[in-house]
PDB file of all heavy atoms in Angstrom:
ATOM      1  N   ALA B 667      49.783 149.676 135.216  1.00 91.00           N
ATOM      2  CA  ALA B 667      49.029 149.300 136.367  1.00 91.00           C
ATOM      3  C   ALA B 667      49.469 150.105 137.650  1.00 91.00           C
ATOM      4  O   ALA B 667      48.658 150.639 138.425  1.00 91.00           O
ATOM      5  CB  ALA B 667      49.247 147.797 136.665  1.00 91.00           C
ATOM      6  N   LEU B 668      50.776 150.273 137.766  1.00 89.00           N
ATOM      7  CA  LEU B 668      51.352 151.115 138.864  1.00 89.00           C
ATOM      8  C   LEU B 668      50.856 152.506 138.839  1.00 89.00           C
ATOM      9  O   LEU B 668      50.471 153.076 139.842  1.00 89.00           O
ATOM     10  CB  LEU B 668      52.820 151.067 138.722  1.00 89.00           C
ATOM     11  CG  LEU B 668      53.577 149.898 139.397  1.00 89.00           C
ATOM     12  CD1 LEU B 668      55.065 149.986 138.977  1.00 89.00           C
ATOM     13  CD2 LEU B 668      53.392 149.971 140.880  1.00 89.00           C
ATOM     14  N   TRP B 669      50.837 153.061 137.647  1.00 88.00           N
ATOM     15  CA  TRP B 669      50.431 154.449 137.493  1.00 88.00           C
ATOM     16  C   TRP B 669      48.942 154.590 137.944  1.00 88.00           C
ATOM     17  O   TRP B 669      48.550 155.503 138.537  1.00 88.00           O
ATOM     18  CB  TRP B 669      50.513 154.776 136.030  1.00 88.00           C
ATOM     19  CG  TRP B 669      49.896 156.113 135.594  1.00 88.00           C
ATOM     20  CD1 TRP B 669      50.347 157.354 135.919  1.00 88.00           C
ATOM     21  CD2 TRP B 669      48.678 156.265 134.776  1.00 88.00           C
ATOM     22  NE1 TRP B 669      49.405 158.365 135.300  1.00 88.00           N
ATOM     23  CE2 TRP B 669      48.425 157.622 134.679  1.00 88.00           C
ATOM     24  CE3 TRP B 669      47.801 155.316 134.214  1.00 88.00           C
ATOM     25  CZ2 TRP B 669      47.328 158.124 133.978  1.00 88.00           C
ATOM     26  CZ3 TRP B 669      46.673 155.832 133.550  1.00 88.00           C
ATOM     27  CH2 TRP B 669      46.486 157.252 133.421  1.00 88.00           C
ATOM     28  N   HIS B 670      48.149 153.513 137.598  1.00 86.00           N
ATOM     29  CA  HIS B 670      46.709 153.493 137.978  1.00 86.00           C
ATOM     30  C   HIS B 670      46.610 153.470 139.461  1.00 86.00           C
ATOM     31  O   HIS B 670      45.839 154.235 140.068  1.00 86.00           O
ATOM     32  CB  HIS B 670      46.048 152.324 137.351  1.00 86.00           C
ATOM     33  CG  HIS B 670      44.579 152.597 137.092  1.00 86.00           C
ATOM     34  ND1 HIS B 670      44.139 153.466 136.128  1.00 86.00           N
ATOM     35  CD2 HIS B 670      43.477 152.131 137.676  1.00 86.00           C
ATOM     36  CE1 HIS B 670      42.892 153.507 136.126  1.00 86.00           C
ATOM     37  NE2 HIS B 670      42.413 152.740 137.058  1.00 86.00           N
ATOM     38  N   LEU B 671      47.352 152.551 140.123  1.00 87.00           N
ATOM     39  CA  LEU B 671      47.399 152.537 141.559  1.00 87.00           C
ATOM     40  C   LEU B 671      47.908 153.798 142.224  1.00 87.00           C
ATOM     41  O   LEU B 671      47.397 154.084 143.309  1.00 87.00           O
ATOM     42  CB  LEU B 671      48.301 151.363 142.036  1.00 87.00           C
ATOM     43  CG  LEU B 671      47.820 149.854 141.712  1.00 87.00           C
ATOM     44  CD1 LEU B 671      48.885 148.903 142.059  1.00 87.00           C
ATOM     45  CD2 LEU B 671      46.485 149.671 142.382  1.00 87.00           C
ATOM     46  N   ASP B 672      48.778 154.430 141.575  1.00 81.00           N
ATOM     47  CA  ASP B 672      49.399 155.701 142.077  1.00 81.00           C
ATOM     48  C   ASP B 672      48.385 156.811 142.098  1.00 81.00           C
ATOM     49  O   ASP B 672      48.728 157.887 142.503  1.00 81.00           O
ATOM     50  CB  ASP B 672      50.619 155.989 141.262  1.00 81.00           C
ATOM     51  CG  ASP B 672      51.596 156.713 142.046  1.00 81.00           C
ATOM     52  OD1 ASP B 672      51.579 156.642 143.222  1.00 81.00           O
ATOM     53  OD2 ASP B 672      52.490 157.457 141.403  1.00 81.00           O
ATOM     54  N   GLY B 673      47.252 156.657 141.559  1.00 77.00           N
ATOM     55  CA  GLY B 673      46.271 157.704 141.449  1.00 77.00           C
ATOM     56  C   GLY B 673      45.996 158.204 140.038  1.00 77.00           C
ATOM     57  O   GLY B 673      45.053 158.915 139.829  1.00 77.00           O
ATOM     58  N   GLY B 674      46.798 157.701 139.107  1.00 72.00           N
ATOM     59  CA  GLY B 674      46.532 157.940 137.768  1.00 72.00           C
ATOM     60  C   GLY B 674      46.596 159.465 137.415  1.00 72.00           C
ATOM     61  O   GLY B 674      45.732 160.033 136.766  1.00 72.00           O
ATOM     62  N   ALA B 675      47.671 160.089 137.876  1.00 76.00           N
ATOM     63  CA  ALA B 675      47.847 161.567 137.557  1.00 76.00           C
ATOM     64  C   ALA B 675      47.800 161.770 136.072  1.00 76.00           C
ATOM     65  O   ALA B 675      48.340 160.962 135.366  1.00 76.00           O
ATOM     66  CB  ALA B 675      49.208 162.057 138.195  1.00 76.00           C
ATOM     67  N   ASP B 676      47.366 162.961 135.683  1.00 76.00           N
ATOM     68  CA  ASP B 676      47.239 163.236 134.238  1.00 76.00           C
ATOM     69  C   ASP B 676      48.509 163.920 133.797  1.00 76.00           C
ATOM     70  O   ASP B 676      48.885 164.955 134.282  1.00 76.00           O
ATOM     71  CB  ASP B 676      46.039 164.148 134.037  1.00 76.00           C
ATOM     72  CG  ASP B 676      45.766 164.401 132.570  1.00 76.00           C
ATOM     73  OD1 ASP B 676      46.650 163.907 131.732  1.00 76.00           O
ATOM     74  OD2 ASP B 676      44.806 165.057 132.294  1.00 76.00           O
ATOM     75  N   PRO B 677      49.272 163.360 132.801  1.00 76.00           N
ATOM     76  CA  PRO B 677      50.429 163.929 132.362  1.00 76.00           C
ATOM     77  C   PRO B 677      50.202 165.305 131.762  1.00 76.00           C
ATOM     78  O   PRO B 677      51.143 166.150 131.744  1.00 76.00           O
ATOM     79  CB  PRO B 677      50.969 163.010 131.266  1.00 76.00           C
ATOM     80  CG  PRO B 677      50.183 161.717 131.384  1.00 76.00           C
ATOM     81  CD  PRO B 677      48.955 162.071 132.187  1.00 76.00           C
ATOM     82  N   ALA B 678      49.094 165.530 131.253  1.00 72.00           N
ATOM     83  CA  ALA B 678      48.826 166.751 130.551  1.00 72.00           C
ATOM     84  C   ALA B 678      48.060 167.824 131.425  1.00 72.00           C
ATOM     85  O   ALA B 678      47.598 168.850 130.891  1.00 72.00           O
ATOM     86  CB  ALA B 678      48.082 166.525 129.296  1.00 72.00           C
ATOM     87  N   SER B 679      47.834 167.590 132.721  1.00 71.00           N
ATOM     88  CA  SER B 679      46.999 168.383 133.480  1.00 71.00           C
ATOM     89  C   SER B 679      47.620 169.722 133.816  1.00 71.00           C
ATOM     90  O   SER B 679      47.078 170.813 133.614  1.00 71.00           O
ATOM     91  CB  SER B 679      46.539 167.714 134.759  1.00 71.00           C
ATOM     92  OG  SER B 679      47.673 167.460 135.631  1.00 71.00           O
ATOM     93  N   ALA B 680      48.855 169.608 134.378  1.00 63.00           N
ATOM     94  CA  ALA B 680      49.455 170.870 134.970  1.00 63.00           C
ATOM     95  C   ALA B 680      49.869 171.814 133.935  1.00 63.00           C
ATOM     96  O   ALA B 680      49.716 171.626 132.772  1.00 63.00           O
ATOM     97  CB  ALA B 680      50.543 170.362 135.862  1.00 63.00           C
ATOM     98  N   GLY B 681      50.610 172.868 134.462  1.00 73.00           N
ATOM     99  CA  GLY B 681      51.234 173.758 133.527  1.00 73.00           C
ATOM    100  C   GLY B 681      52.459 173.113 132.992  1.00 73.00           C
ATOM    101  O   GLY B 681      52.513 171.989 132.480  1.00 73.00           O
ATOM    102  N   ALA B 682      53.670 173.765 133.280  1.00 78.00           N
ATOM    103  CA  ALA B 682      54.914 173.197 132.864  1.00 78.00           C
ATOM    104  C   ALA B 682      55.211 171.908 133.773  1.00 78.00           C
ATOM    105  O   ALA B 682      54.752 171.858 134.933  1.00 78.00           O
ATOM    106  CB  ALA B 682      56.070 174.153 133.012  1.00 78.00           C
ATOM    107  N   PRO B 683      55.997 170.993 133.333  1.00 81.00           N
ATOM    108  CA  PRO B 683      56.245 169.756 134.207  1.00 81.00           C
ATOM    109  C   PRO B 683      57.014 170.096 135.477  1.00 81.00           C
ATOM    110  O   PRO B 683      57.791 170.984 135.536  1.00 81.00           O
ATOM    111  CB  PRO B 683      57.135 168.850 133.264  1.00 81.00           C
ATOM    112  CG  PRO B 683      57.517 169.703 132.205  1.00 81.00           C
ATOM    113  CD  PRO B 683      56.548 170.843 131.990  1.00 81.00           C
ATOM    114  N   THR B 684      56.699 169.455 136.479  1.00 82.00           N
ATOM    115  CA  THR B 684      57.229 169.698 137.832  1.00 82.00           C
ATOM    116  C   THR B 684      57.796 168.351 138.389  1.00 82.00           C
ATOM    117  O   THR B 684      57.359 167.262 137.915  1.00 82.00           O
ATOM    118  CB  THR B 684      56.182 170.222 138.842  1.00 82.00           C
ATOM    119  OG1 THR B 684      55.142 169.352 138.878  1.00 82.00           O
ATOM    120  CG2 THR B 684      55.742 171.596 138.379  1.00 82.00           C
ATOM    121  N   PHE B 685      58.700 168.480 139.399  1.00 84.00           N
ATOM    122  CA  PHE B 685      59.219 167.263 140.027  1.00 84.00           C
ATOM    123  C   PHE B 685      58.152 166.854 141.037  1.00 84.00           C
ATOM    124  O   PHE B 685      57.600 167.582 141.843  1.00 84.00           O
ATOM    125  CB  PHE B 685      60.486 167.569 140.759  1.00 84.00           C
ATOM    126  CG  PHE B 685      61.666 167.848 139.881  1.00 84.00           C
ATOM    127  CD1 PHE B 685      62.044 169.136 139.609  1.00 84.00           C
ATOM    128  CD2 PHE B 685      62.290 166.783 139.225  1.00 84.00           C
ATOM    129  CE1 PHE B 685      63.103 169.385 138.680  1.00 84.00           C
ATOM    130  CE2 PHE B 685      63.376 167.086 138.356  1.00 84.00           C
ATOM    131  CZ  PHE B 685      63.809 168.319 138.153  1.00 84.00           C
ATOM    132  N   ALA B 686      57.853 165.499 141.071  1.00 79.00           N
ATOM    133  CA  ALA B 686      56.707 165.040 141.857  1.00 79.00           C
ATOM    134  C   ALA B 686      57.258 164.855 143.273  1.00 79.00           C
ATOM    135  O   ALA B 686      56.507 164.903 144.244  1.00 79.00           O
ATOM    136  CB  ALA B 686      56.205 163.650 141.318  1.00 79.00           C
ATOM    137  N   ARG B 687      58.588 164.480 143.443  1.00 79.00           N
ATOM    138  CA  ARG B 687      59.162 164.319 144.753  1.00 79.00           C
ATOM    139  C   ARG B 687      60.489 164.947 144.827  1.00 79.00           C
ATOM    140  O   ARG B 687      60.995 165.517 143.856  1.00 79.00           O
ATOM    141  CB  ARG B 687      59.193 162.798 145.058  1.00 79.00           C
ATOM    142  CG  ARG B 687      60.070 162.085 144.054  1.00 79.00           C
ATOM    143  CD  ARG B 687      59.794 160.611 144.085  1.00 79.00           C
ATOM    144  NE  ARG B 687      58.575 160.294 143.230  1.00 79.00           N
ATOM    145  CZ  ARG B 687      58.200 159.056 142.915  1.00 79.00           C
ATOM    146  NH1 ARG B 687      58.850 158.018 143.362  1.00 79.00           N
ATOM    147  NH2 ARG B 687      57.212 158.910 142.136  1.00 79.00           N
ATOM    148  N   ASP B 688      61.148 164.822 146.045  1.00 82.00           N
ATOM    149  CA  ASP B 688      62.605 165.283 146.069  1.00 82.00           C
ATOM    150  C   ASP B 688      63.432 164.575 145.086  1.00 82.00           C
ATOM    151  O   ASP B 688      63.448 163.401 144.995  1.00 82.00           O
ATOM    152  CB  ASP B 688      63.084 164.944 147.514  1.00 82.00           C
ATOM    153  CG  ASP B 688      62.936 166.075 148.437  1.00 82.00           C
ATOM    154  OD1 ASP B 688      63.090 167.177 148.053  1.00 82.00           O
ATOM    155  OD2 ASP B 688      62.515 165.835 149.629  1.00 82.00           O
ATOM    156  N   THR B 689      64.144 165.394 144.266  1.00 82.00           N
ATOM    157  CA  THR B 689      64.891 164.756 143.178  1.00 82.00           C
ATOM    158  C   THR B 689      66.273 165.337 143.157  1.00 82.00           C
ATOM    159  O   THR B 689      66.422 166.570 143.133  1.00 82.00           O
ATOM    160  CB  THR B 689      64.168 164.982 141.819  1.00 82.00           C
ATOM    161  OG1 THR B 689      62.855 164.643 141.935  1.00 82.00           O
ATOM    162  CG2 THR B 689      64.808 164.137 140.707  1.00 82.00           C
ATOM    163  N   ARG B 690      67.254 164.552 143.187  1.00 83.00           N
ATOM    164  CA  ARG B 690      68.608 165.014 142.952  1.00 83.00           C
ATOM    165  C   ARG B 690      69.055 164.700 141.527  1.00 83.00           C
ATOM    166  O   ARG B 690      68.942 163.528 141.076  1.00 83.00           O
ATOM    167  CB  ARG B 690      69.554 164.331 143.970  1.00 83.00           C
ATOM    168  CG  ARG B 690      71.024 164.482 143.647  1.00 83.00           C
ATOM    169  CD  ARG B 690      72.021 164.006 144.689  1.00 83.00           C
ATOM    170  NE  ARG B 690      71.849 164.886 145.853  1.00 83.00           N
ATOM    171  CZ  ARG B 690      72.658 164.805 146.924  1.00 83.00           C
ATOM    172  NH1 ARG B 690      73.642 164.002 146.896  1.00 83.00           N
ATOM    173  NH2 ARG B 690      72.482 165.738 147.903  1.00 83.00           N
ATOM    174  N   VAL B 691      69.544 165.759 140.816  1.00 84.00           N
ATOM    175  CA  VAL B 691      69.910 165.531 139.513  1.00 84.00           C
ATOM    176  C   VAL B 691      71.459 165.784 139.386  1.00 84.00           C
ATOM    177  O   VAL B 691      71.916 166.845 139.828  1.00 84.00           O
ATOM    178  CB  VAL B 691      69.189 166.496 138.535  1.00 84.00           C
ATOM    179  CG1 VAL B 691      69.622 166.313 137.118  1.00 84.00           C
ATOM    180  CG2 VAL B 691      67.680 166.349 138.644  1.00 84.00           C
ATOM    181  N   HIS B 692      72.143 164.833 138.815  1.00 82.00           N
ATOM    182  CA  HIS B 692      73.573 165.080 138.579  1.00 82.00           C
ATOM    183  C   HIS B 692      73.851 165.531 137.180  1.00 82.00           C
ATOM    184  O   HIS B 692      73.299 164.927 136.238  1.00 82.00           O
ATOM    185  CB  HIS B 692      74.276 163.717 138.813  1.00 82.00           C
ATOM    186  CG  HIS B 692      75.798 163.802 138.549  1.00 82.00           C
ATOM    187  ND1 HIS B 692      76.636 164.457 139.399  1.00 82.00           N
ATOM    188  CD2 HIS B 692      76.526 163.431 137.487  1.00 82.00           C
ATOM    189  CE1 HIS B 692      77.859 164.474 138.947  1.00 82.00           C
ATOM    190  NE2 HIS B 692      77.775 163.889 137.736  1.00 82.00           N
ATOM    191  N   VAL B 693      74.533 166.645 137.094  1.00 81.00           N
ATOM    192  CA  VAL B 693      74.754 167.232 135.789  1.00 81.00           C
ATOM    193  C   VAL B 693      76.269 167.015 135.505  1.00 81.00           C
ATOM    194  O   VAL B 693      77.123 167.637 136.094  1.00 81.00           O
ATOM    195  CB  VAL B 693      74.442 168.700 135.653  1.00 81.00           C
ATOM    196  CG1 VAL B 693      74.701 169.283 134.276  1.00 81.00           C
ATOM    197  CG2 VAL B 693      72.977 168.905 136.063  1.00 81.00           C
ATOM    198  N   GLY B 694      76.602 166.074 134.566  1.00 75.00           N
ATOM    199  CA  GLY B 694      77.968 165.693 134.324  1.00 75.00           C
ATOM    200  C   GLY B 694      78.736 166.815 133.591  1.00 75.00           C
ATOM    201  O   GLY B 694      79.687 167.332 134.033  1.00 75.00           O
ATOM    202  N   HIS B 695      78.251 167.088 132.385  1.00 78.00           N
ATOM    203  CA  HIS B 695      78.916 168.170 131.645  1.00 78.00           C
ATOM    204  C   HIS B 695      78.051 169.414 131.673  1.00 78.00           C
ATOM    205  O   HIS B 695      76.896 169.426 131.989  1.00 78.00           O
ATOM    206  CB  HIS B 695      79.037 167.665 130.163  1.00 78.00           C
ATOM    207  CG  HIS B 695      77.829 167.068 129.552  1.00 78.00           C
ATOM    208  ND1 HIS B 695      76.952 167.815 128.851  1.00 78.00           N
ATOM    209  CD2 HIS B 695      77.369 165.850 129.605  1.00 78.00           C
ATOM    210  CE1 HIS B 695      75.995 167.081 128.418  1.00 78.00           C
ATOM    211  NE2 HIS B 695      76.176 165.861 128.912  1.00 78.00           N
TER     212      HIS B 695
END
Side-chain angles (χ1 to χ4, degrees):
Chain B
L668 275 173
W669 168 73
H670 209 71
L671 289 176
D672 207 24
D676 184 355
S679 65
T684 53
F685 291 103
R687 59 198 84 169
D688 266 320
T689 311
R690 165 169 293 188
V691 182
H692 177 74
V693 181
H695 48 93

